[in-house]
Amino acid sequence: MDKIALGVEVDSETGAEKLEDFCSPEWRLRSRHFLVLSSAGKPIYTRYGNETQMSTLMSAVQAIISSFNDMSDPIRSMNTGSHTIVFLTNGPLYLLAVSDRKDPEELLRNELQLVYSQIVSILTSAQLTKIFEQRSNFDLRQLLGGTESIIDQLVDRLDMDFSFALGSLDTLWMRYRLRERIGKTLQSHRPKSLLYAMVVADMKLVTLVRPRKHSLHPADLHLLFNMATSKTFLAGEHWTPVCFPRFNDQGFLHVYINYITPKVALILVSADRDSFFTMTQCREKVCRELSLDDSLQRIEDAAAQRALYPREIGVTGLLQLYYRHKTLIQHFGTRFESTIDIDTQRQIINTYKRLRLHMMNKSGKKPLRIVYYRTDMHTVLAWQSSTFELYATISPAVSVKAMIRLVNMVLEWVKKEEDHLFVINAPSY
């Protein structure tokens, strides 16, 4: 039986198996926890450990939420010691996030909403409601079995990937002519039953074809890409129902996923549940045409290069960068320079999230244009205009005046490279 499904973790040094529960030191030392339970207190999901081992904790959480609901004053959050606890009630599901990193309540609530949406993408909101109306104590794990790794992957990505907080699509840097070639090939072989066609490399969009008057919400595409990059889908052809909560949380579309190279996936979306073989034929035609002039290998090469290093932009003092194009709702990010370790990277991403919340404050006050946070190790900057958002990590040796010049140099580089950085004028029908 799969040890991961049981919540068993294997010690890499001794090979000893450890079963975490909420009383174990390993579980308590985790910086963040995400839990999901039913309104009847039935365990559904925990990022760490095994849901069954958490039944006592889940029952306590259910009792706390229910007691506040009975007073018509739903609990939203609480602070205890160094921990922030955020609650989210969504239909028949209760969700809980715990963090000892002083994460803002709004950030944790947004992340809980994404976890809920990933569950809805697997089952639909209509099915969730119907199940619990018929049996309030139903064990939802019976229907989610085998998909826990997709939710685990999402939770892990929320920790280190700024894309979800930005609410935009990450794009793969690629020569404009190659991107255009891929898009035209997808469009020329589009069957009538195809709604959307996408080429994706490790959560990064290469290109897409969509209806002229309709587009999928970035949050729905984040969930789709997260699913498509899980181990389950890395080999072979897959045809699976997927709910897109922002598009329609009551029903499914049907998604074809196939990795046309080791790092690049072709994703085809249809409303016709019986169009698997049509999608297979579409994939064969697309791959055949892209192989004629070596385009398929060039896509794989672009995916293998991953993101640029800041030094490749040619700006001294820049340690990492995210740039969000507000009109396209797309962004790109560089790698961190190798001098920044993984823990510091996580702290910087968390700072980006905090600064964006400050900059996009919804309190009715005028949005902030520039916010920065300086430490002895680095300066983290957030800057927005009517057309872009920019988040950068900069050497602490760079003065404020020099920092402004640095940003202007980055903006000039983005303008010059825009056709290669973003999916512009994507094919539509």
Side-chain angles (χ1 to χ4, degrees), residues 45 98 104 106 113-114 131 135 178 217 353 356 398 410:
Y45 171 79
V98 183
E106 183 180 351
Q113 183 61 50
L114 282 166
I131 288 169
R135 289 178 57 191
L178 177 58
H217 194 282
K353 294 175 184 177
R356 187 169 198 269
V398 177
V410 168

Side-chain angles (χ1 to χ4, degrees), residues 317-360:
L318 183 64
L319 303 177
Q320 201 279 332
L321 171 73
Y322 277 98
Y323 178 97
R324 183 180 189 270
H325 195 301
K326 286 188 174 183
T327 303
L328 296 173
I329 320 179
Q330 299 172 19
H331 69 268
F332 84 92
T334 70
R335 302 190 205 191
F336 281 91
E337 288 293 357
S338 55
T339 54
I340 301 179
D341 61 51
I342 190 68
D343 287 335
T344 305
Q345 291 179 27
R346 183 180 286 108
Q347 292 170 13
I348 290 170
I349 294 295
N350 195 45
T351 303
Y352 285 162
K353 294 175 184 177
R354 290 166 171 271
L355 294 185
R356 187 169 198 269
L357 287 176
H358 282 300
M359 203 162 60
M360 305 292 175

Side-chain angles (χ1 to χ4, degrees), residues 54-226:
M54 305 290 172
S55 57
T56 303
L57 176 62
M58 299 277 194
S59 295
V61 171
Q62 186 270 342
I64 293 170
I65 294 175
S66 296
S67 64
F68 279 88
N69 287 344
D70 290 343
M71 294 185 288
S72 300
D73 184 21
I75 185 169
R76 293 177 57 84
S77 66
M78 64 171 64
N79 293 294
T80 172
S82 62
H83 290 80
T84 300
I85 304 173
V86 175
F87 302 85
L88 177 67
T89 301
N90 225 325
L93 301 190
Y94 293 165
L95 298 92
L96 175 76
V98 183
S99 172
D100 67 0
R101 298 182 191 162
K102 300 178 181 176
D103 289 327
E105 176 186 338
E106 183 180 351
L107 172 63
L108 292 173
R109 180 163 285 104
N110 291 342
E111 292 180 346
L112 284 175
Q113 183 61 50
L114 282 166
V115 172
Y116 173 78
S117 294
Q118 188 77 77
I119 294 172
V120 169
S121 76
I122 298 166
L123 299 174
T124 78
S125 179
Q127 188 175 4
L128 277 174
T129 301
K130 183 178 179 181
I131 288 169
F132 286 104
E133 282 179 348
Q134 294 175 346
R135 289 178 57 191
S136 62
N137 65 342
F138 182 77
D139 187 349
L140 198 63
R141 289 175 296 175
Q142 296 176 30
L143 296 180
L144 288 175
T147 63
E148 297 91 344
S149 61
I150 295 174
I151 306 173
D152 286 347
Q153 184 170 266
L154 173 67
V155 170
D156 292 345
R157 282 191 163 127
L158 290 173
D159 197 23
M160 287 295 293
D161 191 338
F162 192 33
S163 299
F164 298 93
L166 280 173
S168 53
L169 295 176
D170 196 359
T171 51
L172 182 69
W173 189 93
M174 177 178 285
R175 291 296 176 189
Y176 171 76
R177 294 299 179 193
L178 177 58
R179 200 189 305 275
E180 184 181 48
R181 164 93 166 104
I182 301 164
K184 287 182 176 179
T185 301
L186 289 176
Q187 189 173 37
S188 66
H189 296 295
R190 184 188 72 83
K192 289 184 179 179
S193 58
L194 181 66
L195 295 176
Y196 301 90
M198 289 158 269
V199 176
V200 179
D202 189 28
M203 296 288 289
K204 297 179 185 294
L205 181 67
V206 175
T207 193
L208 80 163
V209 175
R210 64 174 181 84
R212 189 169 290 110
K213 295 183 179 181
H214 299 281
S215 60
L216 290 172
H217 194 282
D220 284 342
L221 292 176
H222 285 155
L223 299 175
L224 174 63
F225 295 173
N226 179 64

Side-chain angles (χ1 to χ4, degrees), residues 164-304:
F164 298 93
L166 280 173
S168 53
L169 295 176
D170 196 359
T171 51
L172 182 69
W173 189 93
M174 177 178 285
R175 291 296 176 189
Y176 171 76
R177 294 299 179 193
L178 177 58
R179 200 189 305 275
E180 184 181 48
R181 164 93 166 104
I182 301 164
K184 287 182 176 179
T185 301
L186 289 176
Q187 189 173 37
S188 66
H189 296 295
R190 184 188 72 83
K192 289 184 179 179
S193 58
L194 181 66
L195 295 176
Y196 301 90
M198 289 158 269
V199 176
V200 179
D202 189 28
M203 296 288 289
K204 297 179 185 294
L205 181 67
V206 175
T207 193
L208 80 163
V209 175
R210 64 174 181 84
R212 189 169 290 110
K213 295 183 179 181
H214 299 281
S215 60
L216 290 172
H217 194 282
D220 284 342
L221 292 176
H222 285 155
L223 299 175
L224 174 63
F225 295 173
N226 179 64
M227 183 187 77
T229 53
S230 68
K231 291 181 180 180
T232 304
F233 294 93
L234 295 182
E237 296 178 276
H238 299 271
W239 182 243
T240 184
V242 176
C243 174
F244 294 85
R246 296 294 190 98
F247 179 77
N248 175 17
D249 66 356
Q250 301 298 303
F252 288 115
L253 293 176
H254 298 273
V255 177
Y256 174 90
I257 301 171
N258 176 249
Y259 276 76
I260 55 178
T261 76
K263 296 183 183 297
V264 179
L266 176 65
I267 302 177
L268 308 175
V269 181
S270 173
D272 182 3
R273 64 183 298 176
D274 298 318
S275 60
F276 169 74
F277 293 107
T278 302
M279 298 301 119
T280 295
Q281 291 170 0
C282 175
R283 186 261 303 167
E284 290 172 351
K285 292 175 183 178
V286 167
C287 289
R288 188 181 304 120
E289 182 169 334
L290 291 177
S291 297
L292 292 176
D293 59 359
D294 213 26
S295 291
L296 207 57
Q297 183 58 50
R298 290 163 64 200
I299 301 170
E300 172 70 6
D301 291 343

